[in-house]
Amino acid sequence: MGDKTTINTLVEGGSASAGPPLGPELGPLPTDVGEVVSAINEETSDFEGMEVPVDVIVDEDTGDFEIEVGKPPAAQLIFDELGIEQGSGEPNKNKVADMEFETACKIARMKESDLLAMDLRGAVKEIIGSADSAGITVDGKDARKVQQDIKEGKYDDRLEAEEGI
């Protein structure tokens, strides 16, 4: 393989087009823009309506390409699960939604490979931290309180149940 060019971009899942930002980046390269767009849309269709990070790696000699699809940010997954558009502009004052603990576990499993956590307990705490930053409570409680409860073992039974899925 010859020299490679990597294009990093964010696209709406299943809705990439030959227009900006992809078209102008791919135009000078010896690859079929339509094929790249179709491949991206196929690989991101599960994330419809969400911004998804995508890397397009193009061989500058042959025009062959690879697509690597990242996962949407944790906040975007939380908003999608809760059916809200965005978080609070003042998360310490205004709460915009409540998330069930099981939803935090589901999102933690979705993002597992992207998180720094070593286990589900840590991953769930990270997701709950993202929820807190967006003004979202967990099981009707302040997200930081839930994180503390997890640390103290008060959610061990629920975490064990989630790990058994």
Side-chain angles (χ1 to χ4, degrees):
M1 232 178 171
D3 289 334
K4 294 181 184 179
T5 296
T6 301
I7 299 166
N8 310 88
T9 188
L10 277 175
V11 299
E12 185 173 328
S15 298
S17 73
L22 282 173
E25 293 278 343
L26 291 169
L29 300 171
T31 192
D32 184 327
V33 176
E35 279 184 43
V36 173
V37 168
S38 292
I40 290 171
N41 286 336
E42 186 176 316
E43 290 196 35
T44 62
S45 62
D46 289 344
F47 299 114
E48 187 176 325
M50 289 187 242
E51 293 287 312
V52 184
V54 174
D55 292 341
V56 181
I57 302 141
V58 180
D59 182 311
E60 293 180 19
D61 294 334
T62 66
D64 292 339
F65 65 91
E66 297 172 43
I67 295 172
E68 295 176 0
V69 178
K71 294 184 183 97
Q76 185 66 52
L77 293 171
I78 292 168
F79 300 161
D80 191 56
E81 283 292 320
L82 298 179
I84 61 175
E85 290 291 317
Q86 63 185 27
S88 172
E90 297 179 287
N92 293 332
K93 292 181 182 177
N94 299 320
K95 303 301 180 187
V96 295
D98 185 58
M99 176 170 62
E100 293 180 358
F101 182 78
E102 290 71 20
T103 301
C105 293
K106 175 183 176 183
I107 295 167
R109 283 193 300 275
M110 291 168 75
K111 290 286 290 178
E112 190 172 27
S113 63
D114 294 345
L115 300 175
L116 299 173
M118 302 299 275
D119 57 13
L120 182 61
R121 171 187 311 276
V124 170
K125 285 172 65 179
E126 282 189 52
I127 297 303
I128 290 173
S130 294
D132 182 48
S133 297
I136 296 169
T137 56
V138 178
D139 286 345
K141 298 186 232 173
D142 183 271
R144 285 167 287 194
K145 171 69 174 134
V146 175
Q147 286 179 313
Q148 184 62 38
D149 288 350
I150 292 170
K151 185 178 178 180
E152 293 172 2
K154 295 178 183 173
Y155 278 81
D156 284 358
D157 56 334
R158 291 172 77 177
L159 284 165
E160 287 170 16
E162 288 293 327
E163 287 175 334
I165 290 177

